[in-house]
Amino acid sequence: SYLTINGDGWLGPFSSSWSYRVQCPSAPRLEPTMTGSGYPEPGNSFDLQLTNSAALAPAALILGMSRTAWGDVRLPVELAPFGAPGCAILASGEASFSLNTDVYGAAQVTLDVPPTPELSGMSLFGQFFVRDPAANDLGLAWSNGVEIEIGR
């Protein structure tokens, strides 16, 4: 079954959260957060939103087929050795989307799911990252990771 929406965000069929490992705060006191709306099922579109991040900043969404490996690299990739303690890459990045945050530190990507029934039951994993020189020495802040299950 696909992820549905309620007041707490998208939830799966057994009330299991679709978001995993919220971390990597920005500065001052910003914690980039990824949420979603719409119904990710064949023939529909859905939105992925970024909030609580640096304003007017370049950002990107990475989407992939795994949260445990990206090619030969095991996920998550901890970014402390690169100057971002507490931050990690949580999703493989087979696809990416460039965008900019608005004056409120928000951005949105709308994705269309092809009308292919064979996609039902497939999972995608995603994460936003935002350019934020105040966040850490790497200058990037990362959102929580999300799992998106395409509906049946």
Side-chain angles (χ1 to χ4, degrees), residues 4 7-8 11 14 16 20 30 33 42 51 56 63 65-66 75 81 84-85 87 93 97 101 111 115 118 126 143 148:
T4 57
D8 297 323
L11 297 178
F14 303 106
S16 60
Y20 59 97
L30 294 176
T33 304
T51 57
L56 303 172
L63 283 176
M65 304 298 290
S66 178
L75 295 175
C87 300
F97 303 85
T101 62
L111 298 171
E118 293 79 20
S143 75
I148 304 152

Side-chain angles (χ1 to χ4, degrees), residues 14 16 22 39 61 66 68 96 124:
F14 303 106
S16 60
V22 177
Y39 296 95
L61 166 66
S66 178
T68 60
S96 63
L124 296 173

Side-chain angles (χ1 to χ4, degrees), residues 24-26 30-34 50-53 130 141-144:
C24 195
S26 184
L30 294 176
E31 188 172 289
T33 304
M34 186 173 181
L50 171 67
T51 57
N52 205 30
S53 67
V130 182
W142 296 77
S143 75
N144 53 301

Side-chain angles (χ1 to χ4, degrees), residues 19-111:
S19 178
Y20 59 97
R21 194 172 172 187
V22 177
Q23 37 100 76
C24 195
S26 184
R29 298 186 199 177
L30 294 176
E31 188 172 289
T33 304
M34 186 173 181
T35 58
S37 62
Y39 296 95
E41 58 187 13
N44 280 355
S45 62
F46 64 98
D47 300 318
L48 296 174
Q49 295 98 8
L50 171 67
T51 57
N52 205 30
S53 67
L56 303 172
L61 166 66
I62 57 172
L63 283 176
M65 304 298 290
S66 178
R67 71 179 195 173
T68 60
W70 188 356
D72 292 335
V73 177
R74 292 183 49 79
L75 295 175
V77 174
E78 300 294 333
L79 297 174
F82 305 100
C87 300
I89 300 172
L90 303 175
S92 61
E94 285 84 8
S96 63
F97 303 85
S98 299
L99 56 150
N100 290 298
T101 62
D102 63 18
V103 296
Y104 303 105
Q108 177 173 295
V109 174
T110 299
L111 298 171

